Each structure stands twice: as C-alpha cells, then as structure tokens.
Amino acid sequence: MIVADDELADARRSAWLEDVAGAPSRVTSVPGIGTVRAALGGRVLVEYGRHGDRFVAVVVDAARARVVDLGEVAGDVGDTLRALVFALRRMVDPSSRAAAEAARASADLRIARLRATLVEPLGLSPDAELVVVPVGVLHGAPWSALHDGPVALAPSAAAWLRTRARVPAPDRPVVLVAGPDLRGAQDEVEALRALHRDVQVLGAQDSRADAVVAAVAAADLAHLACHGALRSDNPMFSSVVLADGPVTVQELHRAGVAPRRLVLASCHSGADVAYEGDEVLGLVSAILSRGTAGVVASIAAVPDVEVVDLMLALHRRLAAGETMARALHGARGEIDRDTPAGFVNWCTFSAHGAA
C-alpha cells in the first residue's frame, strides 16, 4: 500500500516543528567556514554536491577550502551502487562457494570504482578522519569502505555541528534491545551487557513497542538488534520489528526517541532516501533531527549471527570513550574480511554524527 502524500508531509512537518527535551537547539543560521574549521578539530569535511549528472566536492581542512570537480559521473555511480548492494545481498546467504566468490569479486570491483570516482580525486591522506556530507544517491554509498581512515556521515555541516553540542549523560543507562525471530540477537545483547555499567536489557520476548520506546528515549546509548524493513517509496514508514510487531520510523519520530547515541544492528537501518531538493528521509535522518548525536547503521542486509563480533568490538571502544566513527573504524579493523559475512559487515556499516 502506498501511503498518502499528506501523511508523509505530516511526518516531515513533525521533524521541523517538534523538539526533544534536553536536545540542543537547532542551528538557525548557516555556519561560517571559520566556525566549521574550528569545530573539525583536525578532521576533514567533504561535502558533495550535484548539478545534473555532475558531482563536485567541497573539501575543508585546517589549511583551506577547495572545490573538486568530479565530472559527469552521477549515472555511473548510481549503477555501481545498485550492483554493489546486489553483490552484498548475495554474500549474506550465498548458494555456493562459487557464488560467494563471484559476488565478492563484483563487490571489490564496485568499491574500487567508487573510491576512484568519489574519494581518490580529493587527494586526501589515507588516514585522515572525514566528515562526509553526501548528496542524492551518495547517501547509499558504503563510505566506511571507500576511505581508509575513520568516517562520520551527516546530512549537512550544520547538522554535524549540532550533534557536537550534545554532551554525554552518565546518569542515563545503556539500553540493549533484542528483536524477535533474529538468530543471535539475544546472545548479542547478553554479550554486550558485560561491557557496560547501568544496563537495561529488553530481550526478544520483552521488546514490546511501548517498553522499547520509553527505554530508548531515556538512554544515553541504545542498541537495537532487530529485523529492519526498508520502505524506499515512503522511508518514514520503514520499520524495526519488535515483539508486538513493526514500529515505523514515523512512530519513533513522533514519540521523540532520541538517545544520545544509537547502534542499529539491523538490515537497511542506514538506508536513508534522498528526494528532490536533497531532502533526506529515513531512520537515521529522523533520529538525528530529534537530537541524537551519533548513530551506527547499515545500508544493506547484514548476516544475523556474524554481526555479533563487530558489535562487541564496537561497544568495547564506545565503553572506552571513543566516538562512533573511531569506534566503528577500529571494530572494522578486527573483522576477517576473507569470509563473506565478515566482508559484508566490514562494508555496510557507517557512523553518523559527531558523538
């Protein structure tokens, strides 16, 4: 069923008009280049733009701001991304070893093309920490796999600056949620429990929508190990599956769910969709607009059981005080990329925001 346009518009308006108690105020003016440079703290901002089929990138570092013309590559990039996501999907549950090897070869080829088109022309240091602002189809790119250093994504430079303003809340708990019918989800949250103090766990039988929304809204760090369902036609009606059924992005948004940091160990949880005028909708963009300062999510399907090792490595670093981008970068470095599942997990997860 296609949701009516007025319902989608209503969801959008709620993002613009409602605030979360305790969240930083919205940026009311465009930040100057000096403000952005000072906030980057040694990071490099890369903001992409598009005119017709042509991509450009604005690169801001400690020394200067420059514009790099990437050429008429938009159509090629879109085709390459679709082929990459298809290859990753095949690697999640390959029918044979030969099928897995063919899918891996296809994925490697597409990642190399995207690197050559979108990142290498920028002339960046391989270990530079990036803040990337995508445009259009680039919201679906596996940015962590396209650059060797830590990467954080943001809807805009102003939005990234806003996420920096939210401070840790040590008096708030870590909330760990396991969804139903997901192999390894319960084991995942039980293993993560040992890494944090002041933890609340909602297991597969207890993860009912009302309880999850209330717990996550009050958390400093929340982790959802749930099935995710993408609605590319109306992404505000994408959902995560809980014990009593799916909960949509719109429902979470209206409920004001905005933990300071959120880990979404769910398929397609990071698959925001860009519309005309570069408006972006989806779970990540909705949560960030509510005041969440850091998110880890995946652009594609992920292996249910094998993702546990990545999540454990990620949370060990988060518990040690690292940002989402640096924690994810370090956790990805521990993955065995020679296995199909390991490669998918290494490729598909991205960090969003500054926390």
Side-chain angles (χ1 to χ4, degrees), residues 24-36:
S25 60
R26 283 173 166 75
V27 174
T28 56
S29 61
V30 177
I33 193 70
T35 301
V36 173

Side-chain angles (χ1 to χ4, degrees), residues 1 8 75 79 81 86 100 131 142 145-146 181 212 230 267 315 327 334:
M1 179 180 72
L8 183 57
D79 291 342
L81 283 172
F86 179 73
V131 176
L146 303 186
D181 304 320
V212 170
L230 175 66
C267 296
H315 275 263
E334 296 185 22

Side-chain angles (χ1 to χ4, degrees), residues 26-256:
R26 283 173 166 75
V27 174
T28 56
S29 61
V30 177
I33 193 70
T35 301
V36 173
R37 182 177 284 120
L40 286 171
R43 301 174 183 87
V44 178
L45 172 71
V46 181
E47 182 159 357
Y48 290 88
R50 176 175 173 176
H51 180 70
D53 283 337
R54 202 169 199 89
F55 279 131
V56 298
V58 178
V59 181
V60 179
D61 58 25
R64 58 177 177 151
R66 54 195 172 90
V67 178
V68 180
D69 187 345
L70 301 174
E72 295 186 2
V73 296
D76 291 340
V77 167
D79 291 342
T80 300
L81 283 172
R82 284 187 287 273
L84 173 59
V85 171
F86 179 73
L88 294 172
R89 188 184 306 125
R90 291 171 60 200
M91 293 178 71
V92 171
D93 188 20
S95 58
S96 65
R97 180 175 178 178
E101 290 174 348
R104 172 61 185 271
S106 175
D108 283 337
L109 175 63
R110 270 64 187 193
I111 289 172
R113 286 180 179 172
L114 292 170
R115 275 182 172 249
T117 301
L118 299 173
V119 178
E120 290 174 5
L122 308 182
L124 303 172
S125 170
D127 59 353
E129 183 172 353
L130 304 186
V131 176
V132 174
V133 178
V135 66
V137 297
L138 300 186
H139 286 279
W143 288 102
S144 294
L146 303 186
H147 177 65
D148 294 333
V151 178
L153 305 180
S156 67
W160 183 81
L161 285 172
R162 186 169 66 245
T163 64
R164 291 185 74 253
R166 187 161 180 188
V167 298
D171 57 325
R172 293 191 172 198
V174 173
V175 173
L176 307 172
V177 178
D181 304 320
L182 186 64
R183 291 185 306 145
Q186 189 67 44
D187 291 339
E188 181 177 326
V189 297
E190 291 299 335
L192 294 176
R193 183 204 293 263
L195 300 178
H196 299 282
R197 296 176 295 176
D198 191 12
V199 178
Q200 179 181 359
V201 175
L202 294 170
Q205 302 302 316
D206 303 318
S207 59
R208 303 181 69 84
D210 289 347
V212 170
V213 167
V216 171
D220 183 63
L221 169 64
H223 178 102
L224 301 184
C226 310
H227 280 300
L230 175 66
R231 279 282 302 272
S232 57
D233 58 340
N234 278 305
M236 290 298 286
F237 292 89
S238 297
S239 60
V240 292
V241 180
L242 300 176
D244 51 351
V247 175
T248 67
V249 174
Q250 185 188 34
E251 290 171 314
L252 293 172
H253 189 76
R254 285 186 177 277

Side-chain angles (χ1 to χ4, degrees), residues 262-278:
L262 176 64
V263 178
L264 295 163
S266 310
C267 296
H268 305 290
S269 54
D272 282 354
V273 178
Y275 288 86
E276 186 176 356
D278 294 333

